[in-house]
Amino acid sequence: MSQANTRTSVEYLCKIQDLPNDERPRERLLTFGAGALSNAELLAILLRTGVEGESALGMGQRLLSRFSGLRGIATASYGELSHEKGISQAKFCQIMAALELGRRMASLGMEDRVAIRSPQDVANLLMAEMALLTQEHLRVLLLSSKNEVVGVPTIYVGTVNISPVRAAEVFRPALRENCPALILVHNHPSGDPTPSDHDLELTWQLLDAGRVLNIDLLAHIILARNGLISLKEKALGGF
C-alpha cells in the first residue's frame, strides 16, 4: 500500500496544524512532489481550511466518498456541492478551476507536448528542479509512440540508495497509461552524477523487465548539480 493511501481516519479528524510537519499536505507536496499525495490531500490544499470538528483533509475525504471519487466531484453542480458542509462558492470555484486545468492538460494536442530525443532533452525538462533536491527522487518519463511526454510520475523518494525499487513499481504507470516506452530519471543530491553499483544493477534489471513487458526502457538518466549521465548510453551506446 502506498504512503499516499495510508492516512487514518484519526488523521482526517484532527487539525492539519496538529499533524507532524512531514504529514501535512503542503509540506509533503514540497518534499515529495504533487504525485505522492492522495486525492484527499490534494483537495485539502485547494480547500485550505476545514470546518468545526473536521480538517480540510477530512473534508476532502468526505467529498471523495460522497461523490464516488474525483470524477463525481468534477461533474457535480454548484448546487450539489454547496449542500456539503463547508463548501462555499469560493471553494467550489477553486476545486472546479483545478479540475479544469487538469482536463486541459490531459487534452493537450501532440504539438503541445514535449518530445524527448536525447538525454539533454530530459535535462532541459527536469534538471532545474531535480538537481537541487536534497533527497533522491526516482521518476519515470512516460512516452507516447512518438516520444512525447505523457506524464512524469514519482516512483520513489528516499536517501541515496534506490536499491529497494521494484520493476513492478517502475512499469505500472506505463502499463496504466498504455505507454510503449519510458525513461528512468533520478538525481544524486551529492552533485556527482557518477552511477553507483546499485544504479547500474537497477538499469540492467529494468531493461530485462521492459523486454518481458514489451515496454522500452529508452534511457536511465542521472541528474546532478555537476551534470548528467545516461547509463544506457554508456553501457549500450545510442540513446
Side-chain angles (χ1 to χ4, degrees), residues 127-156:
M127 177 71 88
E129 176 197 359
M130 292 190 69
L132 298 178
L133 295 171
T134 57
Q135 286 185 295
E136 191 162 290
H137 286 229
L138 181 69
R139 300 179 182 176
V140 291
L141 269 67
L142 304 176
L143 303 178
S144 71
S145 59
K146 295 184 179 181
N147 280 15
E148 289 107 352
V149 177
V150 175
V152 192
T154 298
I155 304 301
Y156 177 84

Side-chain angles (χ1 to χ4, degrees), residues 56-228:
L57 272 172
M59 287 181 64
Q61 184 63 32
R62 170 164 54 86
L63 291 174
L64 289 167
S65 177
R66 169 70 177 81
F67 292 93
S68 302
L70 283 177
R71 187 182 299 275
I73 294 174
T75 56
S77 67
Y78 171 62
E80 290 172 316
L81 276 173
S82 65
H83 282 110
E84 293 296 317
K85 183 180 179 182
I87 301 301
S88 63
Q89 185 179 71
K91 288 185 177 181
F92 171 81
C93 290
Q94 286 165 202
I95 293 171
M96 290 301 137
L99 291 170
E100 179 59 24
L101 283 173
R103 278 192 291 262
R104 294 184 185 186
M105 184 67 185
S107 63
L108 287 176
M110 289 298 187
E111 68 277 4
D112 297 313
R113 290 180 177 172
V114 177
I116 302 297
R117 306 298 179 194
S118 70
Q120 188 57 50
D121 290 336
V122 177
N124 292 341
L125 183 64
L126 296 175
M127 177 71 88
E129 176 197 359
M130 292 190 69
L132 298 178
L133 295 171
T134 57
Q135 286 185 295
E136 191 162 290
H137 286 229
L138 181 69
R139 300 179 182 176
V140 291
L141 269 67
L142 304 176
L143 303 178
S144 71
S145 59
K146 295 184 179 181
N147 280 15
E148 289 107 352
V149 177
V150 175
V152 192
T154 298
I155 304 301
Y156 177 84
V157 177
T159 55
V160 293
N161 183 355
I162 60 174
S163 58
V165 176
R166 297 172 55 246
E169 297 170 340
V170 172
F171 287 97
R172 185 176 293 115
L175 290 167
R176 185 171 57 242
E177 301 297 331
N178 197 29
C179 292
L182 59 80
I183 294 173
L184 193 69
V185 187
H186 82 275
N187 63 303
H188 279 183
S190 66
D192 181 1
T194 303
S196 66
D197 291 341
H198 288 299
D199 296 335
L200 294 168
E201 181 182 355
L202 180 65
T203 303
W204 290 114
Q205 288 177 352
L206 295 180
L207 281 168
D208 290 339
R211 294 187 187 103
V212 173
L213 296 169
N214 199 28
I215 297 175
D216 290 332
L217 175 64
L218 296 185
H220 180 182
I221 309 294
I222 299 175
L223 301 177
R225 292 187 302 275
N226 296 332
L228 67 90

